[in-house]
Amino acid sequence: MDFNATLIGQTIAMIVFVWFTMKYIWPLLDAAITERQEKIAEGLAAADRSQHDLELAQKKAAETMREAKEKAAELLEQAKKRHAEIVDSAKDDARAEAEKIIAGANAEIEQEVHRAREELRKQVSVLAVAGAEKILQRNIDASAQADILDSLVAEL
Amino acid sequence: MSAENSTGYIKHHLQNLQACSTEDGWAFNSVENPTLCSGSRLDAINVDTMGFSIVLGAIFLWIFRRAAKKATTGVPGKFQCFIELVIDFVDTNVKDTFHGKNKLIAPLGLTIFAWVYLMNLMDLIPVDWIPGLAHLMGVPYLKIVPSTDVNITFAMSISVFILILFYSIKVKGITGFTKELTLNPFNHWAAIPLNLVLEGAALLAKPISLSLRLFGNMYAGELIFILIALMGYMQLPLHFGWALLHLLVIFLQAFIFMMLTVVYLSLAHEDH
């Protein structure tokens, strides 16, 4: 337990060491650690934020998808409706056309019948006249009995 | 080994290499005159203590300065991680104990912790290696564990004591500090002398216990290493066991010295 100048020497050495640490070591390392801690905190916050953003985006995407599906279904419905309408109107048109054609054909037939009847009437009247002529050739003047013949023709 | 030889061996290992001024100028103590420089005197110096402690302190500063210069705020390397681990360990302990703002305490704690740790670590080098090598080179004595020298432990504790006084007066003022010494624990004018004795003893006990604890632990540890080294082949397992235990002591003593320094300085900052 001898005390000598070593005590003073060590005190000086200690002061120098502490001063050096305080000036050139501690602040640098402390700053580096603090800054890294801040960086890590920021990084974690950013990760949280992007997680949140991702959730929002996913929600939005799901929403958009749902809307698109709804729209598609709506369009399909409309198309079906339109299709039915077109088919219906085509049917109506066709029916009308067919009726028109049938009506035309009927009118033509009527006309034809009419004409044939007319023809027939003429021929019958001619035939009747011819027959009557032959009958009356012997004594009766055809022209004197023309009014009777005409009334006969009209009765046919 | 005979008893006399053993005594000589132990004495040799516990003797510092000293230099002092004599009538014929500066001289070292030698095997012929080991007590040439002994005694408490100001014109003698323990060369081995000074040398080893300054080299170890410089190693500490060099390692940490290197880390500090290359410190990156990005992903740190393993070396930087290790240094930061030490810094963080000290910083956490300081922040847990000391709540004021003081730029000195954390670096002081780090310096004390790392320096004392490195000095204590010298205890794990087998007791004959470096002194034996020095003996071959003609150096008669060499004590390689600086913390087994009272001079260094007292140098540190006295520095801490001066800081305690400085901060006590700075924070509380001279009157506040005087009041603390005279009106505690009995707050009555008649008890002032008693208080002064009690508080004075408590104040002085701080640096003395601080330095004697470290010195006592390291000196005893070193002595046991020396005793083990005397035991022939039996020393191998014993040395291993004691070194293992001492590994803990080395860390613990460095940690205690740092923690108590921080605690004392934190007490000095507290205003009652």
Side-chain angles (χ1 to χ4, degrees):
Chain A
M1 289 273 287
D2 292 344
F3 289 101
N4 54 30
T6 313
L7 186 70
I8 297 161
Q10 291 297 339
T11 308
I12 294 166
M14 167 142 169
I15 290 167
V16 171
F17 290 159
V18 172
W19 169 80
F20 190 88
T21 309
M22 193 169 85
K23 195 97 180 166
Y24 297 109
I25 292 173
W26 188 273
L28 294 175
L29 285 167
D30 196 46
I33 293 172
T34 311
E35 204 176 320
R36 179 159 347 96
Q37 277 172 338
E38 274 164 16
K39 263 191 187 171
I40 291 170
E42 270 169 27
L44 287 176
D48 275 352
R49 224 168 24 242
S50 52
Q51 183 78 24
H52 185 66
D53 286 353
L54 178 66
E55 268 169 28
L56 278 184
Q58 274 173 343
K59 238 181 234 169
K60 200 163 181 187
E63 184 78 7
T64 311
M65 200 111 124
R66 205 171 52 77
E67 268 174 21
K69 266 187 189 159
E70 267 174 17
K71 194 126 193 178
E74 204 177 294
L75 279 176
L76 204 64
E77 197 60 32
Q78 273 181 359
K80 269 185 187 160
K81 220 155 129 197
R82 184 100 189 90
H83 172 248
E85 273 173 15
I86 290 169
V87 167
D88 279 356
S89 83
K91 266 186 195 161
D92 285 351
D93 283 356
R95 196 170 292 129
E97 193 67 19
E99 271 167 12
K100 217 197 263 168
I101 289 167
I102 289 166
N106 279 348
E108 213 165 295
I109 289 165
E110 197 103 347
Q111 231 172 345
E112 210 63 30
V113 166
H114 193 68
R115 201 185 305 135
R117 193 175 284 155
E118 208 69 14
E119 194 80 10
L120 201 59
R121 199 182 280 153
K122 268 182 198 158
Q123 279 181 7
V124 167
S125 72
V126 169
L127 200 62
V129 170
E133 234 173 26
K134 272 195 182 142
I135 296 164
L136 296 174
Q137 216 155 28
R138 294 158 201 178
N139 50 7
I140 301 160
D141 190 0
S143 58
Q145 274 76 38
D147 54 334
I148 300 165
L149 287 170
D150 278 346
S151 70
L152 272 173
V153 169
E155 270 171 40
L156 280 169
Chain B
M1 223 180 261
S2 69
E4 206 170 307
N5 271 348
S6 299
T7 313
Y9 180 81
I10 294 168
K11 268 189 175 165
H12 182 266
H13 270 280
L14 294 178
Q15 176 63 50
N16 281 105
L17 175 68
Q18 294 174 314
C20 55
S21 67
T22 60
E23 284 144 15
D24 319 316
W26 282 82
F28 288 102
N29 58 345
S30 59
V31 183
E32 292 78 37
N33 191 2
T35 56
L36 177 69
C37 302
S38 60
S40 293
R41 46 196 277 198
L42 267 180
D43 58 351
I45 193 161
N46 295 345
V47 178
D48 45 6
T49 303
M50 283 305 287
F52 278 107
S53 67
I54 288 172
V55 166
L56 290 168
I59 288 173
F60 152 67
L61 291 182
W62 177 71
I63 290 175
F64 277 69
R65 175 67 184 158
R66 226 171 63 121
K69 266 203 281 193
K70 289 199 294 187
T72 163
T73 56
V75 180
K78 281 185 179 161
F79 172 62
Q80 197 188 331
C81 267
F82 170 72
I83 298 296
E84 283 182 5
L85 211 66
V86 178
I87 295 267
D88 197 49
F89 170 73
V90 174
D91 200 33
T92 310
N93 282 310
V94 169
K95 277 186 179 144
D96 283 350
T97 313
F98 181 75
H99 300 294
K101 249 194 171 337
N102 192 321
K103 279 200 167 109
L104 173 69
I105 289 184
L108 175 70
L110 173 67
T111 311
I112 286 176
F113 175 69
W115 195 25
V116 171
Y117 185 82
L118 287 176
M119 289 194 292
N120 291 353
L121 203 62
M122 297 297 285
D123 217 358
L124 289 182
I125 298 174
V127 288
D128 280 323
W129 282 12
I130 295 178
L133 211 65
H135 189 73
L136 290 178
M137 284 154 57
V139 178
Y141 297 107
L142 200 64
K143 237 173 115 179
I144 63 166
V145 191
S147 44
T148 57
D149 185 343
V150 275
N151 283 293
I152 187 153
T153 62
F154 268 95
M156 284 195 289
S157 73
I158 288 170
S159 307
V160 171
F161 185 61
I162 290 167
L163 284 174
I164 292 172
L165 293 181
F166 172 73
Y167 282 116
S168 289
I169 291 169
K170 193 185 166 201
V171 173
K172 298 161 189 164
I174 294 210
T175 36
F177 187 47
T178 316
K179 267 186 195 166
E180 195 180 282
L181 288 179
T182 51
L183 297 176
N184 259 325
F186 307 111
N187 195 357
H188 190 274
W189 62 268
I192 284 176
L194 181 63
N195 286 340
L196 204 58
V197 169
L198 286 174
E199 286 292 309
L203 190 67
L204 284 176
K206 285 174 182 174
I208 292 173
S209 66
L210 200 57
S211 55
L212 285 184
R213 180 182 301 106
L214 178 60
F215 166 72
N217 272 284
M218 297 324 293
Y219 191 83
E222 175 79 348
L223 195 61
I224 289 175
F225 272 124
I226 295 167
L227 289 175
I228 287 171
L230 279 169
M231 298 178 80
Y233 289 116
M234 268 304 286
Q235 69 173 281
L236 292 172
L238 276 173
H239 179 93
F240 180 75
W242 181 241
L244 216 58
L245 189 73
H246 215 59
L247 207 58
L248 217 73
V249 174
I250 284 167
F251 171 79
L252 208 61
Q253 288 306 319
F255 176 66
I256 288 171
F257 204 110
M258 175 192 82
M259 269 328 277
L260 285 179
T261 301
V262 175
V263 168
Y264 290 157
L265 288 178
S266 143
L267 284 176
H269 279 77
E270 263 168 28
D271 216 342
H272 293 291

